[in-house]
Amino acid sequence: GNYQACLIALAENGTSLDIGGNATVSARCGLAALSCSDDAVVIDASATVDTDSIVTCGKATVPEDNEDVVTEGATGLKDIYSDLSPPTDDRLRTYSCSGKGNNKQASLQAGTYLGLVVSCTTVLNPGIYVIDGGLLDLAANYNITGLGVVFILKNGARLKLGGNGNGNRISLTPPSSSFYEGTVYAEDANRLADILIFEDRDSQVPEPGHQLNGNSSSLIEGLMYFPNGTLTVNGTANVTAQCLQISAYKIKLLGNAKLETLCPLDSTTSVGNSTASV
């Protein structure tokens, strides 16, 4: 089998894909877990998962409705980005808002930020945003727009992304391959294209890891790649996207969290191939 997925748990041991409570996941583009453990994938009976494929090196405990789409014991699954280095922009930047009251706003330039906590309406101009330690907090009650941006998390930088349900809108889209052409990253332009968040492989992420608290009025597209960190989609999240992909060390969906991604199969991430065994 040749396997594709848009939600990929990268840990090679233990429960790496955990969907609990009354969480709802709609991802026809597929789920994958590289873990070879007996509890690699755990989906509670009260959770609802709509997908065409669940593949794992280990075993999966899933509701009866999902049993017919599960492939267990699939050797040869892999992280196709494991040899890809994140781009960088070393220009040191700071975040500040101008204006008064509800009219406060910020316009940001690409570069390196020592943490970035949004505190007013914010526009991020296209480019590479390196978050060097601290928190990338895009969860405040402000409109945030970043079209053609990629966030690089390093030195323990942690993500908190999503609205608090007060009508704020977050619009984030990644750069296309043309952004990297003519740069030192041109050789990897096609692989870097469509990556929205790229966690440095040497980054050690403190608990509670990365958090996605989206709301249905947000537009969040592209690949979130966390090779070391756990991404938790919290119980109040309501995330709907045309093509949001997540590759994380571990993925957890809690409570009443809702995650819907409409990626077409030919736009999703390959997780390798496997020969069936009897």
Side-chain angles (χ1 to χ4, degrees):
N2 295 306
Y3 299 106
Q4 305 277 126
C6 52
L7 298 180
I8 304 170
L10 303 172
E12 296 181 355
N13 298 288
T15 302
S16 57
L17 180 57
D18 186 0
I19 303 175
N22 296 311
T24 300
V25 177
S26 180
R28 302 300 296 271
C29 41
L31 284 63
L34 274 56
S35 171
C36 294
S37 298
D38 289 343
D39 55 354
V41 177
V42 176
I43 302 175
D44 285 0
S46 56
T48 301
V49 176
D50 180 17
T51 185
D52 288 346
S53 172
I54 301 173
V55 61
T56 179
C57 173
K59 294 184 178 180
T61 301
V62 302
E64 183 176 347
D65 289 347
N66 297 120
E67 290 178 352
D68 60 337
V69 299
V70 172
T71 300
E72 298 179 319
T75 59
L77 301 183
K78 60 185 179 181
D79 172 11
I80 67 167
Y81 296 106
S82 62
D83 63 336
L84 185 63
S85 297
T88 191
D89 187 330
D90 296 330
R91 294 173 293 178
L92 191 61
R93 307 288 194 185
T94 58
Y95 176 84
S96 62
C97 301
S98 59
K100 296 181 179 180
N102 294 332
N103 294 321
K104 279 187 176 182
Q105 56 186 345
S107 179
L108 304 187
Q109 300 298 322
T112 295
Y113 291 79
L114 304 179
L116 177 56
V117 179
V118 166
S119 56
C120 65
T121 297
T122 300
V123 175
L124 299 98
N125 288 287
I128 300 166
Y129 289 78
V130 179
I131 311 302
D132 190 357
L135 184 64
L136 172 60
D137 188 344
L138 306 180
N141 291 316
Y142 304 100
N143 292 334
I144 303 167
T145 303
L147 306 181
V149 300
V150 56
F151 297 98
I152 310 301
L153 308 182
K154 59 186 291 187
N155 293 328
R158 189 165 59 85
L159 171 73
K160 187 177 181 183
L161 174 62
N164 293 330
N166 290 340
N168 58 307
R169 181 173 175 84
I170 299 175
S171 298
L172 298 173
T173 63
S176 63
S177 59
S178 61
F179 170 80
Y180 296 103
E181 292 172 1
T183 72
V184 295
Y185 308 109
E187 184 177 342
D188 292 317
N190 289 331
R191 300 179 70 198
L192 289 168
D194 300 325
I195 296 180
L196 178 66
I197 301 173
F198 195 146
E199 178 188 70
D200 189 284
R201 222 162 267 105
D202 295 328
S203 186
Q204 299 300 316
V205 184
E207 293 296 333
H210 307 294
Q211 298 179 56
L212 180 57
N213 310 304
N215 59 42
S216 57
S217 64
S218 295
L219 169 68
I220 303 171
E221 305 292 340
L223 170 66
M224 298 182 183
Y225 180 57
F226 308 105
N228 287 337
T230 296
L231 177 71
T232 299
V233 183
N234 288 312
T236 57
N238 186 352
V239 183
T240 301
Q242 281 299 114
C243 192
L244 173 65
Q245 299 189 70
I246 297 170
S247 289
Y249 185 72
K250 292 184 178 181
I251 300 174
K252 296 181 179 180
L253 284 95
L254 305 177
N256 295 313
K258 180 179 179 181
L259 176 62
E260 181 178 17
T261 180
L262 306 175
C263 285
L265 192 62
D266 59 1
S267 297
T268 55
T269 303
S270 170
V271 288
N273 52 66
S274 176
T275 302
S277 59
V278 177

